[in-house]
Amino acid sequence: MLNYLLRRLLLVIPTLFGILVINFVIIQSAPGGPVDQTIARLQGQMGNGSRIGAAGAEAGGAASSRAEEDSLYRGAQGLSPELIAQIKKQYGFDQPASTRFWIMLRHYLHFDLGTSFYRDTPVTQLILQKMPVSISLGLWSTLVIYLVSIPLGMAKALYHGHRFDVWSSALIIVGNAIPGFLFAIVLIVVFAGGTYLQWFPMQGLFSAHWQQLPWWDKITDYLHHLILPVFCMVIGGFASLTLLTKNSFLDEIHKQYVMTARAKGLDERQVLYGHVFRNAMLIVIAGLPATLLGVFFTSSLLIEVIFNLDGMGLLSFESAVNRDYPVIFGMLFIFTLFSLLLKILSDLTYTLVDPRIDFEERS
């Protein structure tokens, strides 16, 4: 198993490099970069950066460097060439794209993710500032999703076709059909002082006087603020895992080894937890990395906006809109590295659930 883990860790390096190359090419090719947007701001044309960049891309037969110069100078009418050159140097666009990419990789080897163009703050510091919100939402919602979905899916498999299975499926379908952000608005209106009740705070992760509270009240206050946003994320995330668990258990329950175990006189609990559970959970564990990544980096965006939670989802969205390249590439680097390591962790979890699995022999 150790050799397998070493090979997987070494495979992370070329995989990470390939993903960074593809992302760099795609993002650099998008119109309306930071130079275009700065020129637009100087001319009082805020928001037209993408239109300016698109105008430079209309010359279809020209080379990419010529298209970039077209974009800059068409949007820079009335600005001196010296000012344009200074803007390009400020953002590092006075160097070729290949040079900028290798400089970025060299810094990433030391986990130096650069400095934000628009916040003038190191990207690492920005990510560390936003990480507590995303970790809070991600870990708690994932924990609740798994604690609810696995027992519910097992119960639905055991009572397949019964009234409990039908009614719970109906509730799951309705919950999955309601967008999380719409459910968040309803909860705020009803339970957060919008119109009816004032049971929960409307925004933020802590109260304004949180620092003055004793430690037990700090924990209570923190959990009190998390209830509504985590509940919204759970509603949108537990349906697929519940049905996946149910179908996985149904598939295992009808296999030959289960009938053999029952014929030997084992009771239903021993059959379910001693034999079926271990095999049925493999496919559920396989989806854990995707679940964590989705919750950390994508699913929480609208929830963060609605509940005024300044996390990584909101940071990535604002950086993409502003073409803040250091933040975009830094987030992609962290996201990719995190996903690759989670996949390795998922393989380790496979062996914990079922020690018969040996990835080293398979490879």
Side-chain angles (χ1 to χ4, degrees):
M1 189 64 183
L2 180 60
N3 291 333
Y4 171 78
L5 288 177
L6 290 176
R7 286 197 298 270
R8 286 294 302 273
L9 288 173
L10 290 176
L11 189 61
V12 167
I13 298 173
T15 306
L16 185 60
F17 175 79
I19 293 174
L20 287 176
V21 169
I22 295 173
N23 288 327
F24 185 86
V25 171
I26 293 175
I27 293 175
Q28 292 286 335
S29 302
V35 176
D36 287 330
Q37 293 205 3
T38 301
I39 291 173
R41 289 188 181 94
L42 291 176
Q43 295 180 328
Q45 299 174 355
M46 178 71 71
N48 291 338
S50 59
R51 181 158 60 91
I52 293 168
E58 289 176 355
S64 59
S65 60
R66 175 68 180 276
E68 182 180 353
E69 291 296 323
D70 248 1
S71 169
L72 291 175
Y73 284 102
R74 287 190 186 188
Q77 294 177 0
L79 299 180
S80 65
E82 292 79 10
L83 179 58
I84 297 171
Q86 183 179 353
I87 294 172
K88 292 175 66 177
K89 185 176 181 179
Q90 177 184 353
Y91 293 117
F93 280 78
D94 57 329
Q95 301 176 347
S98 58
T99 303
R100 298 199 303 270
F101 178 73
W102 289 115
I103 292 174
M104 182 185 75
L105 283 186
R106 190 166 63 248
H107 289 166
Y108 281 9
L109 289 176
H110 304 90
F111 279 89
D112 178 10
L113 304 183
T115 303
S116 170
F117 286 159
Y118 300 101
R119 300 171 186 255
D120 197 25
T121 304
V123 175
T124 305
Q125 183 177 335
L126 280 175
I127 293 176
L128 291 177
Q129 288 174 356
K130 314 300 181 183
M131 189 73 78
V133 173
S134 296
I135 289 179
S136 296
L137 293 176
L139 288 182
W140 284 109
S141 58
T142 303
L143 178 64
V144 174
I145 286 172
Y146 271 77
L147 288 177
V148 171
S149 299
I150 292 176
L152 181 57
M154 292 171 59
K156 287 174 66 61
L158 292 175
Y159 297 99
H160 178 62
H162 293 196
R163 184 176 298 178
F164 168 77
D165 182 36
V166 174
W167 281 105
S168 60
S169 295
L171 293 176
I172 288 173
I173 293 172
V174 171
N176 191 48
I178 301 175
F181 69 90
L182 182 60
F183 200 73
I185 295 173
V186 173
L187 290 180
I188 288 176
V189 170
V190 177
F191 297 108
T195 303
Y196 301 100
L197 305 173
Q198 182 67 58
W199 289 358
F200 300 99
M202 184 181 298
Q203 59 182 0
L205 202 59
F206 307 102
S207 298
H209 60 286
W210 187 79
Q211 293 291 348
Q212 286 73 43
L213 296 174
W215 66 268
W216 57 87
D217 285 338
K218 286 184 177 180
I219 297 176
T220 304
D221 181 78
Y222 165 72
L223 295 176
H224 193 211
H225 281 75
L226 274 178
I227 289 176
L228 291 187
V230 168
F231 189 61
C232 294
M233 297 178 68
V234 168
I235 289 296
F238 85 103
S240 58
L241 184 60
T242 300
L243 296 179
L244 178 65
T245 304
K246 175 193 172 181
N247 293 332
S248 179
F249 271 84
L250 279 178
D251 185 57
E252 294 294 327
I253 284 173
H254 294 96
K255 288 186 176 179
Q256 183 65 40
Y257 74 89
V258 176
M259 292 186 284
T260 303
R262 287 170 175 164
K264 289 182 178 180
L266 297 178
D267 59 37
E268 199 65 26
R269 181 179 294 273
Q270 289 176 315
V271 172
L272 182 64
Y273 293 104
H275 295 78
V276 176
F277 182 82
R278 184 172 58 185
N279 296 322
M281 286 302 295
L282 292 177
I283 191 172
V284 177
I285 291 172
L288 179 59
T291 302
L292 284 173
L293 289 173
V295 169
F296 278 149
F297 293 97
T298 57
S299 300
S300 61
L301 171 58
L302 291 175
I303 302 300
E304 289 179 9
V305 173
I306 293 173
F307 289 98
N308 195 23
L309 300 170
D310 194 8
M312 293 181 66
L314 186 58
L315 174 64
S316 60
F317 174 75
E318 292 177 346
S319 302
V321 171
N322 294 324
R323 300 294 197 274
D324 196 346
Y325 285 173
V327 179
I328 294 175
F329 290 128
M331 294 281 290
L332 287 172
F333 174 74
I334 296 296
F335 173 84
T336 306
L337 182 62
F338 189 58
S339 64
L340 293 173
L341 294 178
L342 273 179
K343 290 183 182 298
I344 298 176
L345 181 61
S346 177
D347 289 347
L348 291 176
T349 313
Y350 271 131
T351 60
L352 292 176
V353 174
D354 192 348
R356 296 172 299 175
I357 296 177
D358 192 338
F359 288 102
E360 191 164 352
E361 287 188 2
R362 283 184 58 191
S363 60

